[in-house]
Amino acid sequence: MLAKVCSAAVNGIEAYPVDVEVNAGWGDTLIVIVGLPDAAVKESRDRVTTALSNSGYRFPMGRTTINLAPADVKKEGPSFDLPIALGMLAASEQMQTDQLDHFIAIGELALTGAVRPCKGVLPIAVRARAEGKTGVLVPVENAAEAAVVSGLRVIPIQNLREAAQFLEGEIKIAPVKVDVAGIFEQNHDDDVDFSEVKGQENVKRALEIAAAGGHNILLIGPPGAGKSMLARRLPTILPPLTLDEALETTKIHSIVGLIKPGQALVTQRPFRSPHHTASDAGLLGGNVNPTPGEISLAHHGVLFLDELPEFKRSVLETMRQPLEDGRVTISRAAGTMTFPSQFMLVAAMNPSPDGKMPHESRSSPREIQNYLGRISGPLLDRIDLHVEVPPVRYRQMADARNGEPSARIRHRVVSARRHQHQRFASKPKISCNARMGARELKEFCALDQQTADLLHNAMTELNFSARAYDRILKVARTIADLADSHAILASHVSEAVQYRSLDRQLWT
């Protein structure tokens, strides 16, 4: 007998339908899986047969052929265990149901028949709704994640027998529902706060501007000045994720398997901090079948690169295009994948090999230039703000008073972002000032004659590139938004230029 069970798999960050066709025939007892299965899928043959026996079902005799269609796309992972087992039950007439066409089933089977969680449940649930399915059968631990998709019955499955009895109508299982609005209203207490930072008011101001406009920022200072401490507090002043942003971020984390059991959505902006020994594939994504890397896991969040010159130059150079486009395209023999990567780059580095400013360093000028030369000019141009982080003085460290809390800074950041949302209401692809293109710069960053002359003089004297000119205008627009100013004033441009002059002092 022939049976078909609907399932799905993930390709990139989107899912595609997979039909699990099971045919129970005559002949020697043999189970054959076709349709480009990988090793994990081939091994499901042993998991499924043992789970069937331990769940009280008989082992199907004769030749059983299992086809995973479409047959020209490689299938990965153990998530096909549950649909294969249900197909074998239907093909051997141990399960009588007409519901197989209405549900998508996914899940890994334990040898006991229990259903274990799997990756990529959210994009699969989105695909199930797009395919017009009634619902999805998913592991209990993944049910909340799938329930974020409205208009879909999410049936939590604990074991194989429960799934079969539900499809036969012998038992009823209440669909899982989640309150998406309630998830966003939950309070998330941050472990760190800007009130704990002593001094460094100029750096706090730069981080506030970066957060308000989504700008990239480079922190340059000696060891112990607080670069990492400041960077790790940046997420506490970023605006909250919108529902669309949370769904995109959750999709990526779901594919990699970073969603905790019972977690429905990623509601806090991610903060990724890869070690400087990270490879190209670790940062961009890759492997034989491309998976998201660190820059995609930081989507709608922060990518913090500490000790920037210690990263391989080839790794840093691969980031140039994603910084511009907000997405990364990976080409492999298995195919080409595009992952979103709209993140804020926060980088930290010492000004010289021994950590001191060049005029105080014991390193030779050649050693200093070789050290700084690990960061290319084109990459520096793509970083909007370059900020010096000086050592904190004893008087500031001994001060018992707390600094300005993150909540107050965040209020100003959210207010500035609100101006940007109104400004770009007709341009859905632009979420903040840092994402403006040439057309938007011309439309929203017009300067009066005095301010234009000021910027012209700065460009001439500091020898800025055309890309630096655009970055200065974007930062100035953000500073104006923080000041609730519709027009960009000379003071806003002056402050923006100040954040582009440090690199000229060091690299030249």
Side-chain angles (χ1 to χ4, degrees), residues 238 241 249 268-272 297-303 342-345:
L238 289 173
L241 285 168
T249 304
Q268 290 185 299
R269 294 188 181 272
F271 181 89
R272 305 294 300 181
L297 292 172
H299 185 52
H300 293 312
V302 175
L303 178 68
Q342 289 190 12
F343 60 91
M344 282 180 59
L345 173 62

Side-chain angles (χ1 to χ4, degrees), residues 158-476:
Q158 297 186 26
N159 54 65
L160 174 58
R161 177 164 286 276
E162 186 180 73
Q165 290 176 336
F166 170 79
L167 291 171
E168 288 182 304
E170 294 182 6
I171 62 173
K172 293 185 177 180
I173 302 176
V176 173
K177 297 182 179 179
V178 297
D179 180 9
V180 175
I183 294 174
F184 281 95
E185 291 173 0
Q186 292 176 1
N187 291 324
H188 299 281
D189 296 328
D190 295 311
D191 296 331
V192 294
D193 195 277
F194 268 103
S195 62
E196 304 157 350
V197 180
K198 304 293 185 180
Q200 306 292 16
E201 298 304 323
N202 65 314
V203 187
K204 292 179 188 176
R205 168 64 176 174
L207 288 171
E208 179 180 342
I209 294 170
H215 302 288
N216 304 319
I217 183 170
L218 173 63
L219 305 176
I220 306 175
K227 301 185 295 295
S228 300
M229 178 184 66
L230 287 158
R232 294 186 184 279
R233 282 158 175 76
L234 180 59
T236 65
I237 63 173
L238 289 173
L241 285 168
T242 64
L243 177 58
D244 289 341
E245 289 175 338
L247 286 171
E248 276 192 344
T249 304
T250 307
K251 270 187 180 183
I252 299 170
H253 285 237
S254 175
I255 293 165
V256 182
L258 296 180
I259 301 297
K260 300 176 182 177
Q263 183 181 3
L265 275 175
V266 175
T267 56
Q268 290 185 299
R269 294 188 181 272
F271 181 89
R272 305 294 300 181
S273 179
H275 193 260
H276 60 77
T277 56
S279 64
D280 299 28
L283 203 63
L284 291 183
N287 299 324
V288 177
N289 292 290
T291 54
E294 290 291 342
I295 65 174
S296 294
L297 292 172
H299 185 52
H300 293 312
V302 175
L303 178 68
F304 176 48
L305 302 184
D306 201 6
E307 303 296 342
L308 187 64
E310 300 300 329
F311 284 81
K312 296 178 183 177
R313 178 155 183 163
S314 62
V315 173
L316 295 179
E317 293 304 300
T318 57
M319 288 201 307
R320 285 161 50 178
Q321 203 61 38
L323 283 171
E324 288 286 340
D325 298 340
R327 63 182 183 274
V328 56
T329 301
I330 303 168
S331 296
R332 296 290 187 271
T336 299
M337 303 288 180
T338 298
F339 299 111
S341 59
Q342 289 190 12
F343 60 91
M344 282 180 59
L345 173 62
V346 180
M349 61 177 290
N350 298 328
S352 65
D354 61 4
K356 299 182 182 296
M357 294 302 289
H359 62 278
E360 301 173 342
S361 175
R362 295 182 179 179
S363 302
S364 68
R366 180 180 293 275
E367 290 174 331
I368 295 174
Q369 286 304 313
N370 289 340
Y371 177 77
L372 296 175
R374 298 176 188 174
I375 315 299
S376 69
L379 180 61
L380 276 175
D381 263 354
R382 287 169 169 82
I383 301 178
D384 305 348
L385 297 95
H386 308 150
V387 184
E388 181 180 356
V389 185
V392 181
R393 297 181 179 178
Y394 172 78
R395 182 183 303 174
Q396 295 171 321
M397 289 188 291
D399 193 344
R401 293 173 298 178
N402 287 330
E404 188 176 24
S406 294
R408 194 180 303 167
I409 303 174
R410 188 181 195 181
H411 178 75
R412 296 195 296 269
V413 169
V414 171
S415 178
R417 286 288 183 109
R418 194 177 297 118
H419 292 312
Q420 296 167 49
H421 291 159
Q422 294 171 356
R423 181 181 303 127
F424 306 128
S426 61
K427 303 175 184 294
K429 292 185 179 181
I430 301 178
S431 57
C432 56
N433 287 337
R435 295 292 165 190
M436 284 192 290
R439 187 175 301 172
E440 289 75 31
L441 283 173
K442 186 176 181 180
E443 182 178 355
F444 301 117
C445 298
L447 305 177
D448 59 31
Q449 189 58 48
Q450 179 186 359
T451 309
D453 290 342
L454 172 65
L455 182 55
H456 175 266
N457 292 335
M459 291 285 296
T460 303
E461 293 183 14
L462 295 175
N463 195 28
F464 285 135
S465 66
R467 184 178 285 113
Y469 171 81
D470 290 346
R471 302 281 175 175
I472 290 172
L473 283 180
K474 293 176 183 180
V475 173

